[in-house]
Every structure is written in C-alpha cells, then in structure tokens.
Amino acid sequence: NNHSWNLSNKTELGKLSHTKISTYVDCPFKYYLGIEGRLNGDKDFEKFFDGLIKHRVMKEIFSKYKNYEVMSQKILNEEELKEEIKDIIEDIWEEYTDDFLHTYEAIKDVESEIITEDILESIEDIHRKYIHFKKGIDLTYSQVIATELEVNSKINIGNFHDVDLTSRIDRVDLLNGNYVYLLDEFGDQLLPGAYSIMDYKRSKNFQSEQLLIYYLTLLNNEEWKNKLENSDVYLKFQVVSKKKDHKNSNFIKIQKGKIIYKKHKARAKYVSFDINEFYRWLEKVFQNINKSNFTPIAVKERQIRRFLEEMHDKYNNAKTGEKYYDCSSCQFRSLCELMQYKKDFIMNIKKYF
C-alpha cells in the first residue's frame, strides 16, 4: 500500500504551455494522466462551446475594428453592432452544427441572444475602463496589434535551458498612454503608450500565472522582444459576461523588471516585487515535473500553490481567490474514485446540497 508516487526516471519537460503548468499546480497526478499518460478524461462540452464562440466573435470584431476611434463609432450604433455579432455567432454555429449540435438547434436563438449581450457588454467595458486605476484614472487601448496570436519561444529558467514554451494569446494591444508606479501607487501624469496582453474568460475562474507565461513567451520571441523589452506592459483578464459578479478590474503591471499588483485590503494602493520571483516559482514547477513527482493531491497537500497566492504570504498583495481545478471538477475524477480504497487516498470533493 505504501508505494511511491514518484517515478524512478526523470521526466522531460517537453513543450510547455500555461495549461500544462496550471494543471501541474492543480494536481501533479492530473498532469501525469493528461500530459504524460495522454488520457482524455471527461470534458464539459457546454462550457467549451460557450468559450469557443465568445473567443471567435471577439477575434472577428477586434480584427475588423482595430482602432479605438473606429470602435467608438461602432458602439454609437448599438443595434447595428448587435446584428453583426449575431451574424458571426450564426456562422460559427453553422460550422459546428453538422458534427454534433443538432440537439442545440432549439436553444440556439436563446443562447445566441445571451452570448450577444455578454459580448456587447464586454466590448463597451473594454472601451470605457480597459485598465482602471482609481476614480477618473483609466487607460484604454489605441490599437489592437494582434488577435489569437500563436507564439513559440525558448526560455532559460534557473538550470533549465532552452525550454520550449508555447502560448496562444487572445490579444495584444497598444495602449493610449501609461501611468507610472512609484512607491505604492500610480502617478497621475499620463505618459506615452505601453502595451497590454489580454485574455478573454467566460467567468472569474482564472490563474494569473497564465498572463505572466504569455508575457514570458513574447519576451523571448524574436519578433516581439524588441517591442516589449523596454516597454511597460499591462496584463489583464477580460470576462466576457454581463453578470455583475463576473466583473474583473484587476490587472498586473510589469514595469522595469518588477511585477505590480494591488495591495491586500487597501484601495488604490499597490505592491511591487521582482519578476525573478515568478521565474523562481516556475523553476520550482519545472524541478518537480523533472523529478517525476506526480503525487495526487488526494494523498498529499499540494506543495506549489498559485503564484500570486504564494506572493501574498511574502509581499501582502491582494488575495486573488484563484481557482484550482481539483477533485470536484477534474476530468479524471471517476478514475481516482477507484483508488479510494487506499487508506491514504482522500479525495477533496465539495458536496453541493
């Protein structure tokens, strides 16, 4: 009964992405089953489809209207923009209906209406308060530079050299200005532009390391390096949803090798720490994968937590409440349930009554 969950051989890192890294933090065994064992598990198709449509529509709209001024004109005529969004949804729907969505026909119109409202709200939200600092101080984009960008690069982290990192980035923008962080807050003087990296989400379930991995991938890519190396960069999740409780005004700023994030329980105050903290965190993940440490979280409490959660203990940045996709929502849950006869194997299943 007391066998080791560590494999005797070392595990190659292979081609890494934010999904793989986040999966390891969720549960090392889940990483092993999905990445090393290449098992598929059970997927929630409905969530996947909703996310897919929203991503595609946002890409189409912002590829077509890249300039802030042009989009300002579009927003003035809301009905026209709404129709355009609906047409795109219709096209995407058609594309997938042939395969497995005949049953969806009946609810298509209802769904389409909800998704349209979510997207419209999100477009207006991005327009008004793209990066929000405090009352009356906001930045917005001036130009969308890239949408659905696939980037590969090789990174060096600690003792790991030429690690393949691949990222699919929803969008990169040039902002209309920049505010500089000094001591513990942002100054009021609007300076020349900065860049931003944005990821669309369907709800508030996100992991901040995703955006930092995107930044790292771009920073080590020949084409993007020159743009970002000497610029300030903002990182932001945009929730494509009308629901008020889904709103997210948090952002991360990278300024001169520092990560800036809001301070715990302090309005409009921020903390900063060296970006090397993130590289050290990443190295810890790499070391564990490389050492073939695949112990399930049902056996042993996770040793690596979400990046900003670990930083909270050290720098008192705001708690992010970032989600772990643990046993309750794991696609390999049914497989692990078979192992519960082992006395040290205790799954953390949240009970919903």
Side-chain angles (χ1 to χ4, degrees):
N1 203 13
N2 61 10
H3 69 281
S4 164
W5 291 93
N6 282 40
L7 301 180
S8 50
N9 295 339
K10 280 198 152 73
T11 298
E12 293 296 322
L13 294 181
K15 206 176 189 119
L16 287 175
S17 64
H18 95 82
T19 313
K20 291 181 182 178
I21 291 162
S22 279
T23 300
Y24 187 84
V25 177
D26 281 336
C27 172
F29 190 53
K30 178 177 164 184
Y31 177 94
Y32 175 72
L33 293 173
I35 313 298
E36 295 302 316
R38 300 191 180 181
L39 297 181
N40 284 327
D42 312 314
K43 282 272 191 291
D44 184 338
F45 176 72
E46 218 165 301
K47 282 183 186 166
F48 164 76
F49 192 60
D50 179 73
L52 176 114
I53 292 184
K54 286 176 175 176
H55 274 78
R56 284 278 295 275
V57 178
M58 293 295 269
K59 175 186 163 53
E60 297 267 332
I61 293 283
F62 282 102
S63 300
K64 195 170 171 186
Y65 309 115
K66 290 188 169 87
N67 275 29
Y68 183 82
E69 279 72 23
V70 177
M71 186 56 98
S72 300
Q73 290 304 310
K74 286 303 294 179
I75 287 178
L76 292 176
N77 191 339
E78 197 173 279
E79 281 312 306
E80 198 178 287
L81 184 55
K82 231 175 163 171
E83 282 313 306
E84 193 168 340
I85 293 168
K86 277 190 180 155
D87 288 345
I88 299 170
I89 295 174
E90 185 77 29
D91 289 347
I92 299 167
W93 212 284
E94 290 306 310
E95 212 178 296
Y96 285 88
T97 308
D98 302 347
D99 307 339
F100 38 65
L101 282 174
H102 287 299
T103 48
Y104 268 50
E105 270 309 308
I107 55 166
K108 183 171 82 171
D109 296 338
V110 182
E111 281 290 308
S112 173
E113 194 60 48
I114 295 168
I115 293 174
T116 301
E117 289 297 331
D118 281 348
I119 286 167
L120 204 59
E121 176 89 11
S122 197
I123 290 173
E124 288 174 357
D125 205 33
I126 290 170
H127 221 70
R128 283 193 310 268
K129 289 188 171 177
Y130 189 111
I131 305 280
H132 176 66
F133 298 90
K134 52 189 169 190
K135 201 173 164 56
I137 295 204
D138 299 285
L139 285 176
T140 186
Y141 70 99
S142 62
Q143 175 110 32
V144 179
I145 318 176
T147 54
E148 287 207 0
L149 177 67
E150 200 156 325
V151 190
N152 300 300
S153 61
K154 288 192 182 298
I155 61 164
N156 298 321
I157 296 281
N159 294 322
F160 295 90
H161 298 291
D162 288 336
V163 177
D164 278 314
L165 197 56
T166 181
S167 290
R168 284 194 61 153
I169 300 168
D170 287 341
R171 67 188 263 191
V172 182
D173 293 350
L174 187 60
L175 298 181
N176 68 335
N178 184 20
Y179 289 105
V180 173
Y181 168 84
L182 309 149
L183 294 174
D184 65 351
E185 56 186 6
F186 283 91
D188 294 352
Q189 191 192 353
L190 185 65
L191 296 163
Y195 289 93
S196 80
I197 299 169
M198 185 191 275
D199 188 71
Y200 302 131
K201 289 284 182 229
R202 52 184 301 282
S203 69
K204 263 179 107 166
N205 295 338
F206 35 68
Q207 296 79 30
S208 292
E209 49 263 23
Q210 177 179 353
L211 292 170
L212 288 159
I213 287 163
Y214 285 179
Y215 173 70
L216 189 56
T217 315
L218 289 173
L219 199 61
N220 287 278
N221 175 280
E222 281 310 308
E223 191 189 336
W224 287 91
K225 191 180 178 167
N226 314 341
K227 287 190 177 85
L228 302 188
E229 207 169 25
N230 302 309
S231 302
D232 289 2
V233 180
Y234 293 84
L235 311 175
K236 171 103 200 278
F237 286 116
Q238 176 66 34
V239 184
V240 184
S241 168
K242 230 183 129 114
K243 294 181 182 151
K244 287 281 172 276
D245 59 336
H246 280 179
K247 291 277 180 266
N248 166 47
S249 58
N250 300 341
F251 63 85
I252 295 169
K253 184 180 185 193
I254 312 253
Q255 178 183 306
K256 301 212 176 337
K258 294 260 190 274
I259 291 174
I260 297 152
Y261 194 71
K262 66 180 193 186
K263 190 175 180 177
H264 186 55
K265 290 185 174 167
R267 272 185 85 97
K269 296 283 184 204
Y270 294 80
V271 295
S272 84
F273 45 86
D274 204 294
I275 195 160
N276 285 322
E277 286 284 10
F278 180 62
Y279 302 156
R280 282 192 283 273
W281 179 88
L282 215 46
E283 188 181 11
K284 208 161 51 170
V285 176
F286 291 179
Q287 281 166 346
N288 272 314
I289 294 172
N290 190 233
K291 282 195 265 188
S292 304
N293 176 2
F294 299 120
T295 310
I297 55 169
V299 173
K300 186 183 186 183
E301 206 176 319
R302 65 170 60 86
Q303 289 170 294
I304 302 174
R305 291 174 295 146
R306 297 265 169 248
F307 173 64
L308 283 181
E309 199 180 305
E310 289 197 3
M311 291 304 104
H312 168 79
D313 300 346
K314 211 167 168 181
Y315 299 104
N316 200 32
N317 52 274
K319 283 189 171 170
T320 51
E322 298 191 355
K323 187 177 167 75
Y324 291 97
Y325 290 92
D326 47 23
C327 304
S328 322
S329 57
C330 178
Q331 69 263 41
F332 304 117
R333 174 176 166 171
S334 47
L335 186 101
C336 285
E337 280 171 348
L338 299 174
M339 293 195 268
Q340 290 194 101
Y341 69 89
K342 301 168 84 56
K343 69 174 194 313
D344 62 345
F345 201 98
I346 300 148
M347 288 174 75
N348 173 23
I349 306 279
K350 295 175 189 65
K351 301 276 190 283
Y352 298 106
F353 292 108

